[in-house]
Short mmCIF file of all heavy atoms in Angstrom, two decimals:
data_model
loop_
_atom_site.label_atom_id
_atom_site.label_comp_id
_atom_site.label_asym_id
_atom_site.label_seq_id
_atom_site.Cartn_x
_atom_site.Cartn_y
_atom_site.Cartn_z
N ARG A 26 56.07 109.93 108.92
CA ARG A 26 55.68 109.98 110.36
C ARG A 26 55.28 108.65 110.90
O ARG A 26 54.91 108.54 112.07
CB ARG A 26 54.59 111.03 110.56
CG ARG A 26 54.98 112.43 110.16
CD ARG A 26 53.96 113.45 110.69
NE ARG A 26 53.98 113.49 112.13
CZ ARG A 26 54.49 114.48 112.90
NH1 ARG A 26 55.07 115.48 112.31
NH2 ARG A 26 54.46 114.43 114.19
N ARG A 33 41.82 104.98 103.39
CA ARG A 33 42.33 104.25 102.24
C ARG A 33 41.87 104.86 100.93
O ARG A 33 40.90 105.68 100.92
CB ARG A 33 41.95 102.75 102.37
CG ARG A 33 40.53 102.47 102.66
CD ARG A 33 40.30 101.06 103.16
NE ARG A 33 40.35 100.10 102.07
CZ ARG A 33 40.23 98.80 102.29
NH1 ARG A 33 40.11 98.27 103.51
NH2 ARG A 33 40.29 97.96 101.27
N ALA A 52 34.10 120.08 105.99
CA ALA A 52 34.84 119.95 107.25
C ALA A 52 35.26 118.49 107.46
O ALA A 52 34.63 117.55 106.97
CB ALA A 52 33.98 120.43 108.42
N ASP A 95 47.76 127.40 100.02
CA ASP A 95 46.42 127.04 99.55
C ASP A 95 45.38 127.66 100.49
O ASP A 95 45.11 127.15 101.57
CB ASP A 95 46.26 125.52 99.54
CG ASP A 95 44.98 125.06 98.93
OD1 ASP A 95 44.05 125.90 98.79
OD2 ASP A 95 44.82 123.88 98.61
N ARG A 126 31.30 107.73 117.57
CA ARG A 126 30.53 107.05 118.62
C ARG A 126 29.49 108.00 119.25
O ARG A 126 28.52 107.52 119.89
CB ARG A 126 31.45 106.48 119.70
CG ARG A 126 32.25 105.33 119.16
CD ARG A 126 32.80 104.51 120.32
NE ARG A 126 33.59 103.40 119.75
CZ ARG A 126 34.73 102.99 120.26
NH1 ARG A 126 35.21 103.52 121.35
NH2 ARG A 126 35.39 101.99 119.73
N LEU A 135 25.54 120.48 112.97
CA LEU A 135 26.64 121.10 112.23
C LEU A 135 26.46 121.13 110.72
O LEU A 135 27.15 121.87 110.06
CB LEU A 135 27.94 120.33 112.54
CG LEU A 135 28.45 120.27 113.97
CD1 LEU A 135 29.74 119.45 114.05
CD2 LEU A 135 28.70 121.67 114.48
N ASP A 146 35.52 103.34 107.67
CA ASP A 146 36.08 102.28 108.54
C ASP A 146 35.07 101.31 109.13
O ASP A 146 35.24 100.89 110.27
CB ASP A 146 36.91 102.89 109.68
CG ASP A 146 38.32 103.26 109.26
OD1 ASP A 146 38.78 102.69 108.24
OD2 ASP A 146 38.92 104.10 109.90
N PHE A 147 34.01 101.01 108.41
CA PHE A 147 33.10 99.97 108.86
C PHE A 147 33.41 98.67 108.12
O PHE A 147 34.04 98.70 107.04
CB PHE A 147 31.67 100.39 108.62
CG PHE A 147 31.19 101.53 109.45
CD1 PHE A 147 31.23 102.82 108.95
CD2 PHE A 147 30.81 101.34 110.78
CE1 PHE A 147 30.83 103.90 109.74
CE2 PHE A 147 30.43 102.42 111.58
CZ PHE A 147 30.45 103.70 111.05
N THR A 152 23.54 91.69 107.78
CA THR A 152 22.40 91.41 108.66
C THR A 152 21.80 92.70 109.22
O THR A 152 22.42 93.76 109.16
CB THR A 152 22.84 90.58 109.89
OG1 THR A 152 23.78 91.35 110.65
CG2 THR A 152 23.44 89.29 109.47
N VAL A 163 26.12 99.50 117.38
CA VAL A 163 25.15 100.50 117.75
C VAL A 163 25.36 101.80 116.97
O VAL A 163 24.38 102.47 116.56
CB VAL A 163 25.24 100.76 119.29
CG1 VAL A 163 24.29 101.91 119.69
CG2 VAL A 163 24.90 99.50 120.03
N ALA A 185 35.51 96.78 103.42
CA ALA A 185 35.38 98.13 103.96
C ALA A 185 34.11 98.79 103.45
O ALA A 185 33.78 98.73 102.27
CB ALA A 185 36.60 98.96 103.54
N LEU A 188 29.51 105.03 105.61
CA LEU A 188 28.16 105.53 105.71
C LEU A 188 28.13 106.93 105.12
O LEU A 188 28.99 107.76 105.38
CB LEU A 188 27.72 105.64 107.17
CG LEU A 188 27.60 104.35 108.02
CD1 LEU A 188 27.04 104.66 109.40
CD2 LEU A 188 26.70 103.34 107.30
N ILE A 189 27.12 107.14 104.26
CA ILE A 189 26.88 108.50 103.75
C ILE A 189 25.48 108.89 104.22
O ILE A 189 24.50 108.23 103.91
CB ILE A 189 26.92 108.52 102.19
CG1 ILE A 189 28.26 107.98 101.71
CG2 ILE A 189 26.71 109.94 101.71
CD1 ILE A 189 28.30 107.81 100.21
#
Side-chain angles (χ1 to χ4, degrees):
R26 298 194 66 106
R33 49 197 282 177
D95 186 345
R126 289 199 181 140
L135 298 179
D146 277 339
F147 292 97
T152 64
V163 176
L188 296 184
I189 304 172

